[in-house]
Amino acid sequence: MVGVPRVPEQRRPEGSATLRFSVLGPVRAWRGDDALPAGSPQQRALLAALLLREGRTATASELIDALWGDEPPSQALAAVRTYASRLRKALGPEVLVSESGGYAIRSLGDGALDLARAQELAADAEKARGGGDLSRARGLLRDALGHWDGEALASVPGPYAETQRARLDEWRLQLLESCLDMDLEQGCHAEAVSELTALTAAHPLRERLRELLMLALYRSGRQAEALAVYADTRRLLADELGVDPRAGLKELQQRILQADPGLAEPSAPAAEPAAAPVRPAQLPATVTDFTGRASFVQELSEVLASATSAEGSVMAVSALAGIGGVGKTTLAVHVAHQSRGAFPDGQLYVDLQGAGARSAEPETVLGAFLRALGTADSAIPDSLEERAALYRSVLDGRRVLVLLDNARDAAQVRPLLPGTEGCAALVTSRVRMVDLAGAHLVDLDVMSPEEALQLFTKIVGAERVASEREAALDVVAACGFLPLAIRIAASRLAARRTWTVSVLAAKLADERRRLDELQAGDLAVKATFELGYGQLEPAQARAFRLLGLADGPDISLPAAAAVLDLGVEDTEDLLESLVDTSLLESAAPGRYRYHDLVRLYARACAERDEQPPSERAAAMSRLLDFYLASATAVYAIERPGDRTVDHLEVTRQQGQEFADDGKALDWLHAEAACILAFVQQSLGPDTLRRGVDLLLASKDLAESGASSLAYEAATRAARDAAEALDDAHAAGRARVTLTQVLSTAGRFDEAAAEADRAVVLGEAAMDPWTSGNAPNELGIIAICRNEHAAGEAHLLKAIDSFRADGNRPGEASALCNLSRVLVSMNRTAAGIELAQQGIAIYDELGLTVRLANARYALGIAFSHAGRHVEALQQLTQALAIFVENRQRLWEGTTHFRIAQVHLAGRGLGKAAQHAEQALSTGCIGGDWMRANVLTLLGRSLQGLGQVDRARACWNEALTIHEEAGAPEADELRALLSPVAAA
């Protein structure tokens, strides 16, 4: 790129420091935040010519040539002087100066011209890239490109402006190519496809963009499309220019055909300055008072060292087994810290929660590991097998230690193991993993008496133990030499300076206060916890027992207050005191959790000690009320005026209060795992209806796509429980909720069966909520199945039910859905009118989220009527609302509809770009909708002349529709037929 020449820096007078100018877009000027008049097009052309000289004087004849070329008007010189006079008045005489029969702009501050700022950023980016700092280089280039505001020198006349406009546009493309090239070098190929698709459509003859698109598609697993891009390019160049693709493009095609391994990864790995995402260091802190276990430490360290030795040819796995509380995690973390130097590429850690009722799913763990290793969310596949394969690929060539703590069994562990030499894994579990092939097994027993006494002494203090050595031996013996029991006992003693060791020993000698250490199984672990529990004050003990009853990974402070029926401050005091005893953990500020074995022990205590027994049920009822009241508040904030909240079960417990929409959604998504786990725990006769209603109030969790699998599982459990209890009211609502989940996933046959049954149940229970929502869902399913007559009947029934209930938001929803049916039946005017009625209702009620659905429907109707500008306005507004409210699947679906409008208006490049965004974001309708997006993308690419890539898209869509038996497969076969191709 040829830079604009500079003149020496000149003294800047007072008042000119705030002047700013732009040429990378319309030619404009500002003083501070105030826009200055730039005048007529010719006056702006004069200003641009002077700005682009950056302080050099332009003679009058040069300016006349710049503005009018070879055919200046008779009064050209007078006109130039007039324009200069007007600009001098606006800018100041010290800025626009006259000299040597010409003019110049002087005394500007650094970065006063957007072009100069962009040049400096581009130069800094080049330096950063040369130094290997690709992350900074990409950011600098994006900042440079951000200075463009449309076409450079927009609407500025004259030959000089035309030449400079072409030069600046070429430079912008070069910057874009450099930026996208670095995107690919850093593995952001999936994100780059959408942008490259739009750029190749806008600049079809630019081979470098085509080359980058081929590489991005290939690395995204879309080999057929990558090869199709080459075929389209070759044909286009031959037709338009009569030439073949350049050598680099040909070479890339051959490498793709040969599946060259060198294409799978960036050619030059980037040296990222931010090491945290690429080099994880997730090990928990090792304890400062680690004691004994010398032989185990040496044994495990040698196994880990073998993974990184010159002779090491396989990945090393060590599996520690033993009863709970024996110190497996402490030992594994200690050894891992000692071995960190042998694994310079990082250490991964996860608690697999194997001893709990719901252990961690391997695919969830793999997702977290891949993110920690620097993989973008968009590049993480969905299935367990694909995630495991990508995980092993990412670890290939690295030296990483993986600590898998508290595993359930070998089946849970296998997908989480690295696949190559140089890496190692440490596994802890309560079971001996004899079926974990190739693992070095270690059985960890209790401490020796000497080690146990050493640990006790380190925690309590040598002075206190030295004078009461025999009592100390009695204490550790009473603890069964179990490390966790010793630590709890010693910590309690250390915190009570008035106690002697003998006092503690005497307490432990009473077997009524602890379980017999010699009993088998987990009873030995319970004996350890009995010591801490027995020392609790009554209020502490009650909190310990009741808080352990709720399922879920942790519990928030307000939720805990509901369980205990106490104020938040009193609850926090109790929980923090339990944290001090190590019976509870502080997962994060305001959140608490049990170790899985402690939770089981707490529940056993509740069953044994909580009097009267009904208090356990009352505590869980209060927590259910809290979750339902809080979720209802979120629902009401998101959907003001919606009658759903009036039909939910009444709660006695106050819920969380929220300052705004953002805080409400934050709470709902933060509590998702706890809510959905607790729903499955709340499906008994006394709590079933509230459990089902909690699912209704939390429907944003399903619509966002973030917790859809867990939401579906909870909904199925609720449906089954309602049917088992013969509760038509709850069963109808559960089936409607399940219908919504299944429709979102594109499983329309299952969804229709649930909705049909829900209609019957709603009528039997005389439930207005089910009676309106079930036919509304059937109408939506009919739209997707192109069953227009049936859809119209269902939706008219839904409208009648909603109106009878006074549910205006429900009525608006059904009206908008009916609008889509009428549009599909070519009754477009009526469809537009219905969608507008829906918008009017939502506007009146202030329903922001649902207003997006109404604008979505109106956009579709406008598009069908050929009113493309209005359609884009409605869909763009809907998209902004969906993005703001984290409705990711609706966001993707709206991108698809925007692409449809652009395609209908022959905006092929934009259609392809929005279709790519829909693919990367995901859509309502699952694989069925993905196939529809691919079909549309293919049509856009065909219009752009990229026929081979279009056919690749259609082939993928055809496979999806054929597997589902969808009627859309016929359309794709027609598109792929030789006649259509001709």
Side-chain angles (χ1 to χ4, degrees), residues 268-353:
E272 285 285 277
V278 177
R279 183 186 178 280
Q282 298 183 341
L283 294 178
T286 187
V287 294
T288 57
D289 52 25
F290 182 85
T291 302
R293 309 296 201 187
S295 62
F296 290 111
V297 171
Q298 181 179 356
E299 178 183 353
L300 291 168
S301 298
E302 289 175 353
V303 173
L304 293 182
S306 69
T308 59
S309 66
E311 297 79 21
S313 59
V314 295
M315 184 267 304
V317 181
S318 293
L320 286 73
I323 62 171
V326 79
K328 302 181 294 295
T329 298
T330 301
L331 174 59
V333 169
H334 180 77
V335 171
H337 273 284
Q338 283 198 342
S339 304
R340 286 181 64 186
F343 301 94
D345 296 319
Q347 306 84 40
L348 297 169
Y349 171 84
V350 65
D351 179 3
L352 294 173
Q353 304 175 23

Side-chain angles (χ1 to χ4, degrees), residues 25 70 123 130 163 197 267 304 316 324 377 420 485 491 495 510 555 744 811 951 961:
D70 296 334
T163 301
T197 296
S267 57
L304 293 182
D377 280 352
T420 57
S491 297
D510 185 358
I555 191 167
T744 299
E811 176 189 350
R951 293 179 68 83
H961 281 320

Side-chain angles (χ1 to χ4, degrees), residues 369-701:
F369 277 178
L370 286 167
R371 293 184 191 95
L373 290 165
T375 306
D377 280 352
S378 59
I380 298 176
D382 292 329
S383 72
L384 172 61
E385 293 76 16
E386 289 177 316
R387 287 188 177 189
L390 178 58
Y391 169 68
R392 293 190 294 270
S393 299
V394 170
L395 290 179
D396 186 30
R398 302 191 190 188
R399 292 186 174 185
V400 174
L401 174 61
V402 182
L403 177 47
L404 305 172
D405 191 22
N406 194 11
R408 180 190 63 228
D409 51 30
Q412 185 188 28
V413 167
R414 289 190 191 99
L416 308 179
L417 297 177
T420 57
E421 68 274 9
C423 293
L426 269 175
V427 184
T428 71
S429 177
R430 291 197 296 171
V431 300
R432 197 166 189 266
M433 295 194 175
V434 294
D435 53 343
L436 190 60
H440 175 77
L441 302 181
V442 176
D443 293 323
L444 194 60
D445 203 350
V446 296
M447 284 180 155
S448 68
E450 293 78 15
E451 290 176 336
L453 186 59
Q454 289 175 18
L455 175 60
F456 185 82
T457 302
K458 286 184 178 180
I459 298 172
V460 173
E463 291 184 5
R464 297 178 74 181
V465 175
S467 59
E468 296 184 278
R469 179 178 172 81
E470 291 301 319
L473 286 172
D474 290 340
V475 170
V476 297
C479 290
F481 309 112
L482 200 65
L484 182 57
I486 296 167
R487 182 173 298 281
I488 292 174
S491 297
R492 300 284 295 178
L493 182 60
R496 288 163 173 75
R497 305 304 301 177
T498 59
W499 283 13
T500 63
V501 180
S502 297
V503 170
L504 178 60
K507 291 179 179 292
L508 294 178
D510 185 358
E511 291 187 356
R512 293 173 301 177
R513 301 184 60 165
R514 61 177 174 84
L515 298 175
D516 188 346
E517 188 61 27
L518 298 177
Q519 291 185 21
D522 287 342
L523 291 179
V525 178
K526 290 182 180 180
T528 302
F529 301 137
E530 192 72 52
L531 171 66
Y533 177 68
Q535 300 298 323
L536 296 178
E537 299 294 335
Q540 291 176 310
R542 174 179 178 268
F544 174 73
R545 292 191 300 268
L546 294 181
L547 292 177
L549 294 173
D551 283 344
D554 59 7
I555 191 167
S556 68
L557 180 59
V563 172
L564 301 178
D565 200 18
L566 295 171
V568 171
E569 292 184 359
D570 291 339
T571 301
E572 184 174 22
D573 290 342
L574 276 176
L575 299 192
E576 288 298 326
S577 70
L578 289 174
V579 170
D580 291 340
T581 68
S582 299
L583 290 174
L584 196 65
E585 298 176 16
S586 179
R591 301 198 74 86
Y592 299 88
R593 69 186 178 200
Y594 287 94
H595 181 282
D596 46 17
L597 295 177
V598 178
R599 183 197 296 274
L600 294 175
Y601 175 73
R603 289 180 175 179
C605 290
E607 293 174 3
R608 181 190 66 194
D609 300 338
E610 199 60 48
Q611 299 298 331
S614 60
E615 174 58 14
R616 299 198 301 272
M620 292 299 91
S621 180
R622 290 192 295 270
L623 181 58
L624 180 56
D625 275 357
F626 169 80
Y627 281 142
L628 178 54
S630 302
T632 300
V634 176
Y635 191 100
I637 289 173
E638 291 292 300
R639 302 166 178 83
D642 193 324
R643 284 273 290 158
T644 294
V645 297
D646 299 322
H647 293 304
L648 300 179
E649 291 290 303
V650 177
T651 61
R652 298 179 180 179
Q653 186 74 34
Q654 186 176 359
Q656 191 95 349
E657 296 181 356
F658 306 106
D660 53 49
D661 294 15
K663 292 290 193 301
L665 281 175
D666 287 343
W667 177 89
L668 183 64
H669 288 282
E671 295 289 347
C674 295
I675 287 174
L676 296 177
F678 193 65
V679 164
Q680 298 205 50
Q681 195 181 1
S682 306
L683 300 176
D686 296 331
T687 56
L688 172 64
R689 292 193 176 186
R690 282 181 290 161
V692 171
D693 283 356
L694 179 53
L695 285 172
L696 267 61
S698 307
K699 66 179 296 185
D700 279 333
L701 296 178

